[in-house]
Amino acid sequence: MLEEQIKQVQIAAQARIEDARSMEALEAVRVDVLGRKGSLAQFSKAFGKLAPEERAAAGKALNAAKEALESAFEERKRAFDTEALNARLKAEWIDLSLPAPGPRPGSLHPVTQVQMELEDLFTSLGFAVLDGPEVETEYHNFDALNIPATHPARDMQDTFWLTGGNLLRTHTSPVQVRGMERLGPPLRMIAPGRVFRNEEVDASHEHTFYQLEGMMVDRNVSVAHMLYFMKTLLSAIFRREVTVRLRPGYFPFVEPGFELDIQCLICGGPGCAVCKQSGWVELMPCGLVHPNVLRMSGIDPDEWGGFAFGLGLTRLAMMRYGIDDIRLFESGDLRFLRQF
Ligand code: 2NL
């Protein structure tokens, strides 16, 4: 019986498809069974000898076998394709999180990062960013700032004096003196940079550190303007509203002078180790520019006034990144630097 034979061939072929262990083996089965000279094709030849009603039934069986085998073949082929793809994915994957070959990319020093962020902020508020020499004259570092010759900052203990009377600047104020001389009023400027003091070095004292001073000179500048700018600045630095208070503070170049404190960001007021149980952290000396300082740099204090402030960039970086030893900043230790 032809239909029975077709069924037998189909079952045998199905088993061979299942058993095929490679794409090549599978293809060989396909040629044997479904090919032009394959076993199914042989059946068609035998159809001529059949009676018409038998032929119809046999044809139906043959088509069914062909369809079943073709889809079995396709299914097996898909399994091989998936297997091959999985093998490639396993063999050829690359870890994109690995460092690229070649020299390792560097990173900016943490103080530089804080400095650049503040430069962007002040630029957006209309301040010019000024630079100046690290070797200064006694006049620009002290006299022009109303710092009298008897002031302790002038002592050998505090200042690196150079032979010939110049010195390593002890603050970036002389950059602002030069700014006032050159720009004239009205003006808004900041002076970020490296400063030097003859300190006994320990975990919280360095001979070399970074400051950012700023100043605005215009008509009718008051403590209210100063407070507005300081609060804007501090919210940007700490990325949230901060509560501030002003205490009187003495600096020869401002009058009145203040210490600006912020409410402790760790405990929020009640007191903790960071704020030494006071609830406040001293952050920014500031004040209205002393009339003598304006006058010495060619600005008429009867017409113009200004506020000025100082900010320790190194100290700010320590607060931001939780660094507890100031000596790390100038150490050049790559294990430290690579963390930023
Ligand atoms: C500091 C810095 C302050 C200033 C710095 C300043 C500069 C000029 C005129 C007036 Cl040219 N003021 N700078 C003002 C207030 C505070 O602090 O190192 N304090 C310990």
Side-chain angles (χ1 to χ4, degrees):
M1 188 75 192
L2 204 54
E3 285 166 66
E4 195 52 43
Q5 288 174 22
I6 291 170
K7 196 77 200 160
Q8 291 305 323
V9 167
Q10 182 186 340
I11 289 167
Q14 210 107 37
R16 285 182 66 195
I17 290 172
E18 296 297 325
D19 289 347
R21 282 288 152 262
S22 70
M23 205 47 215
E24 291 73 27
L26 185 64
E27 179 59 16
V29 178
R30 198 186 64 79
V31 171
D32 276 0
V33 181
L34 294 165
R36 269 197 308 129
K37 295 176 182 166
S39 25
L40 291 188
Q42 300 303 320
F43 285 114
S44 315
K45 288 182 188 163
F47 279 14
K49 296 171 198 149
L50 296 176
E53 57 287 2
E54 278 179 326
R55 192 182 302 166
K60 218 170 159 187
L62 188 61
N63 276 336
K66 209 165 165 181
E67 270 170 35
L69 287 174
E70 271 168 358
S71 70
F73 176 78
E74 280 307 319
E75 195 181 311
R76 196 79 182 98
K77 182 174 179 303
R78 265 200 302 279
F80 278 129
D81 287 347
T82 309
E83 213 172 273
L85 181 63
N86 284 339
R88 272 191 66 192
L89 287 173
K90 206 171 165 188
E92 296 175 17
W93 72 282
I94 47 172
D95 183 351
L96 293 176
S97 70
L98 282 175
R104 173 215 276 264
S107 57
L108 295 173
H109 192 281
V111 170
T112 308
Q113 292 188 32
V114 171
Q115 178 179 331
M116 288 171 91
E117 194 179 304
L118 292 180
E119 286 178 1
D120 283 349
L121 174 72
F122 276 104
T123 304
S124 78
L125 295 172
F127 284 69
V129 180
L130 301 191
D131 208 348
E134 291 179 346
V135 172
E136 265 296 358
T137 61
E138 184 174 1
Y139 173 79
H140 285 103
N141 196 81
F142 292 131
D143 300 271
L145 287 157
N146 204 32
I147 299 174
T150 52
H151 197 278
R154 295 219 185 184
D155 201 287
M156 285 290 287
Q157 261 64 56
D158 299 303
T159 305
F160 289 113
W161 290 93
L162 306 175
T163 50
N166 285 341
L167 49 85
L168 295 184
R169 68 182 182 194
T170 59
H171 40 201
T172 58
S173 313
V175 180
Q176 307 211 78
V177 171
R178 293 172 184 278
M180 285 188 286
E181 292 171 350
R182 185 160 57 85
L183 301 171
L187 59 82
R188 274 177 266 183
M189 60 185 168
I190 57 166
R194 186 157 65 155
V195 301
F196 310 87
R197 295 197 193 160
N198 193 1
E199 299 274 1
E200 191 80 61
V201 174
D202 62 25
S204 47
H205 297 88
E206 249 290 12
H207 49 69
T208 302
F209 56 100
Y210 286 77
Q211 260 201 338
L212 185 149
E213 286 196 21
M215 175 190 284
M216 171 170 166
V217 176
D218 211 320
R219 294 188 166 88
N220 306 312
V221 173
S222 71
V223 172
H225 297 112
M226 182 185 81
L227 264 179
Y228 167 78
F229 274 94
M230 298 304 96
K231 287 194 80 162
T232 304
L233 164 65
L234 294 170
S235 304
I237 293 173
F238 295 107
R239 302 190 178 113
R240 54 173 141 155
E241 277 302 311
V242 289
T243 308
V244 303
R245 74 174 183 189
L246 285 182
R247 285 177 296 119
Y250 171 71
F251 309 98
F253 30 85
V254 286
E255 181 57 41
F258 304 98
E259 289 287 1
L260 186 145
D261 300 338
I262 59 169
Q263 196 159 59
C264 181
L265 295 170
I266 306 300
C267 69
C272 66
V274 169
C275 60
K276 300 188 191 102
Q277 308 308 324
S278 75
W280 297 90
V281 178
E282 191 176 305
L283 200 68
M284 248 194 319
C286 53
L288 298 185
V289 184
H290 197 290
N292 291 350
V293 172
L294 291 172
R295 196 179 296 110
M296 276 187 277
S297 290
I299 297 175
D300 180 0
D302 294 326
E303 193 178 347
W304 304 95
F307 67 78
F309 61 91
L311 193 56
L313 286 179
T314 304
R315 172 138 177 269
L316 214 54
M318 291 176 84
M319 290 171 77
R320 159 152 317 165
Y321 299 112
I323 298 163
D324 60 7
D325 191 330
I326 196 173
R327 290 168 292 197
L328 288 164
F329 288 99
E330 298 292 313
S331 68
D333 189 334
L334 292 176
R335 293 169 303 177
F336 170 71
L337 295 172
R338 282 181 176 147
Q339 296 175 60
F340 302 96

